[in-house]
PDB file of all heavy atoms in Angstrom:
ATOM      1  N   SER E   7      44.019 115.551  85.796  1.00 98.00           N
ATOM      2  CA  SER E   7      44.318 114.475  86.746  1.00 98.00           C
ATOM      3  C   SER E   7      43.792 113.182  86.137  1.00 98.00           C
ATOM      4  O   SER E   7      42.583 112.932  86.122  1.00 98.00           O
ATOM      5  CB  SER E   7      43.608 114.755  88.068  1.00 98.00           C
ATOM      6  OG  SER E   7      43.729 113.619  88.902  1.00 98.00           O
ATOM      7  N   HIS E  32      48.845 114.994  85.014  1.00 98.00           N
ATOM      8  CA  HIS E  32      49.063 114.691  86.436  1.00 98.00           C
ATOM      9  C   HIS E  32      48.651 113.250  86.707  1.00 98.00           C
ATOM     10  O   HIS E  32      47.504 112.868  86.466  1.00 98.00           O
ATOM     11  CB  HIS E  32      48.232 115.662  87.284  1.00 98.00           C
ATOM     12  CG  HIS E  32      48.449 115.559  88.757  1.00 98.00           C
ATOM     13  ND1 HIS E  32      49.517 116.137  89.403  1.00 98.00           N
ATOM     14  CD2 HIS E  32      47.720 114.928  89.716  1.00 98.00           C
ATOM     15  CE1 HIS E  32      49.426 115.889  90.709  1.00 98.00           C
ATOM     16  NE2 HIS E  32      48.350 115.163  90.917  1.00 98.00           N
ATOM     17  N   PHE E  33      49.622 112.443  87.191  1.00 98.00           N
ATOM     18  CA  PHE E  33      49.340 111.038  87.512  1.00 98.00           C
ATOM     19  C   PHE E  33      49.293 110.880  89.029  1.00 98.00           C
ATOM     20  O   PHE E  33      50.329 111.032  89.695  1.00 98.00           O
ATOM     21  CB  PHE E  33      50.451 110.131  86.970  1.00 98.00           C
ATOM     22  CG  PHE E  33      50.521 110.054  85.456  1.00 98.00           C
ATOM     23  CD1 PHE E  33      51.104 111.061  84.715  1.00 98.00           C
ATOM     24  CD2 PHE E  33      49.990 108.946  84.795  1.00 98.00           C
ATOM     25  CE1 PHE E  33      51.172 110.986  83.318  1.00 98.00           C
ATOM     26  CE2 PHE E  33      50.059 108.860  83.399  1.00 98.00           C
ATOM     27  CZ  PHE E  33      50.649 109.876  82.668  1.00 98.00           C
ATOM     28  N   ASP E  34      48.108 110.603  89.565  1.00 98.00           N
ATOM     29  CA  ASP E  34      47.997 110.348  91.016  1.00 98.00           C
ATOM     30  C   ASP E  34      48.281 108.877  91.272  1.00 98.00           C
ATOM     31  O   ASP E  34      47.520 108.008  90.840  1.00 98.00           O
ATOM     32  CB  ASP E  34      46.580 110.685  91.501  1.00 98.00           C
ATOM     33  CG  ASP E  34      46.421 112.181  91.696  1.00 98.00           C
ATOM     34  OD1 ASP E  34      47.335 112.789  92.288  1.00 98.00           O
ATOM     35  OD2 ASP E  34      45.419 112.749  91.250  1.00 98.00           O
ATOM     36  N   HIS E  65      52.571 112.249  90.900  1.00 98.00           N
ATOM     37  CA  HIS E  65      52.327 112.608  92.304  1.00 98.00           C
ATOM     38  C   HIS E  65      52.285 111.312  93.105  1.00 98.00           C
ATOM     39  O   HIS E  65      51.307 110.565  93.037  1.00 98.00           O
ATOM     40  CB  HIS E  65      50.989 113.373  92.379  1.00 98.00           C
ATOM     41  CG  HIS E  65      50.545 113.715  93.763  1.00 98.00           C
ATOM     42  ND1 HIS E  65      49.277 114.186  94.024  1.00 98.00           N
ATOM     43  CD2 HIS E  65      51.175 113.663  94.957  1.00 98.00           C
ATOM     44  CE1 HIS E  65      49.153 114.418  95.313  1.00 98.00           C
ATOM     45  NE2 HIS E  65      50.287 114.115  95.904  1.00 98.00           N
ATOM     46  N   MET E  67      51.541 109.407  96.022  1.00 98.00           N
ATOM     47  CA  MET E  67      50.837 109.362  97.310  1.00 98.00           C
ATOM     48  C   MET E  67      51.069 107.968  97.900  1.00 98.00           C
ATOM     49  O   MET E  67      50.138 107.143  98.023  1.00 98.00           O
ATOM     50  CB  MET E  67      49.341 109.627  97.095  1.00 98.00           C
ATOM     51  CG  MET E  67      49.030 111.076  96.835  1.00 98.00           C
ATOM     52  SD  MET E  67      47.296 111.370  96.511  1.00 98.00           S
ATOM     53  CE  MET E  67      47.317 111.366  94.745  1.00 98.00           C
ATOM     54  N   VAL E 134      53.380 120.885  95.859  1.00 99.00           N
ATOM     55  CA  VAL E 134      51.983 120.486  95.612  1.00 99.00           C
ATOM     56  C   VAL E 134      51.220 120.706  96.914  1.00 99.00           C
ATOM     57  O   VAL E 134      51.487 120.025  97.914  1.00 99.00           O
ATOM     58  CB  VAL E 134      51.881 119.006  95.201  1.00 99.00           C
ATOM     59  CG1 VAL E 134      50.431 118.627  94.879  1.00 99.00           C
ATOM     60  CG2 VAL E 134      52.802 118.696  94.023  1.00 99.00           C
ATOM     61  N   MET E 136      47.987 120.095  98.729  1.00 98.00           N
ATOM     62  CA  MET E 136      46.730 119.351  98.662  1.00 98.00           C
ATOM     63  C   MET E 136      45.628 120.245  99.217  1.00 98.00           C
ATOM     64  O   MET E 136      45.744 120.729 100.354  1.00 98.00           O
ATOM     65  CB  MET E 136      46.814 118.059  99.469  1.00 98.00           C
ATOM     66  CG  MET E 136      47.711 116.983  98.881  1.00 98.00           C
ATOM     67  SD  MET E 136      47.376 116.573  97.178  1.00 98.00           S
ATOM     68  CE  MET E 136      45.677 115.977  97.290  1.00 98.00           C
ATOM     69  N   GLN E 172      51.672 124.210  92.917  1.00 98.00           N
ATOM     70  CA  GLN E 172      50.640 123.372  92.299  1.00 98.00           C
ATOM     71  C   GLN E 172      49.540 123.123  93.332  1.00 98.00           C
ATOM     72  O   GLN E 172      49.847 122.908  94.513  1.00 98.00           O
ATOM     73  CB  GLN E 172      51.247 122.035  91.847  1.00 98.00           C
ATOM     74  CG  GLN E 172      50.259 121.089  91.185  1.00 98.00           C
ATOM     75  CD  GLN E 172      50.902 119.768  90.768  1.00 98.00           C
ATOM     76  OE1 GLN E 172      50.614 118.727  91.344  1.00 98.00           O
ATOM     77  NE2 GLN E 172      51.777 119.812  89.778  1.00 98.00           N
ATOM     78  N   ASP E 174      45.995 120.852  94.222  1.00 98.00           N
ATOM     79  CA  ASP E 174      45.455 119.550  93.833  1.00 98.00           C
ATOM     80  C   ASP E 174      44.263 119.181  94.716  1.00 98.00           C
ATOM     81  O   ASP E 174      44.415 118.880  95.884  1.00 98.00           O
ATOM     82  CB  ASP E 174      46.573 118.501  93.984  1.00 98.00           C
ATOM     83  CG  ASP E 174      46.166 117.140  93.500  1.00 98.00           C
ATOM     84  OD1 ASP E 174      44.976 116.956  93.132  1.00 98.00           O
ATOM     85  OD2 ASP E 174      47.018 116.232  93.503  1.00 98.00           O
ATOM     86  N   VAL E 194      45.716 121.244  89.089  1.00 98.00           N
ATOM     87  CA  VAL E 194      45.394 119.843  88.824  1.00 98.00           C
ATOM     88  C   VAL E 194      43.885 119.771  88.629  1.00 98.00           C
ATOM     89  O   VAL E 194      43.113 120.023  89.563  1.00 98.00           O
ATOM     90  CB  VAL E 194      45.842 118.939  89.994  1.00 98.00           C
ATOM     91  CG1 VAL E 194      45.388 117.501  89.750  1.00 98.00           C
ATOM     92  CG2 VAL E 194      47.363 118.999  90.149  1.00 98.00           C
TER      93      VAL E 194
HETATM   94 ZN1   ZN G 302      47.638 114.637  92.748  1.00 88.67          ZN
END
Side-chain angles (χ1 to χ4, degrees):
S7 171
H32 185 80
F33 292 79
D34 280 315
H65 175 191
M67 284 177 264
V134 183
M136 290 308 299
Q172 180 181 111
D174 185 355
V194 175

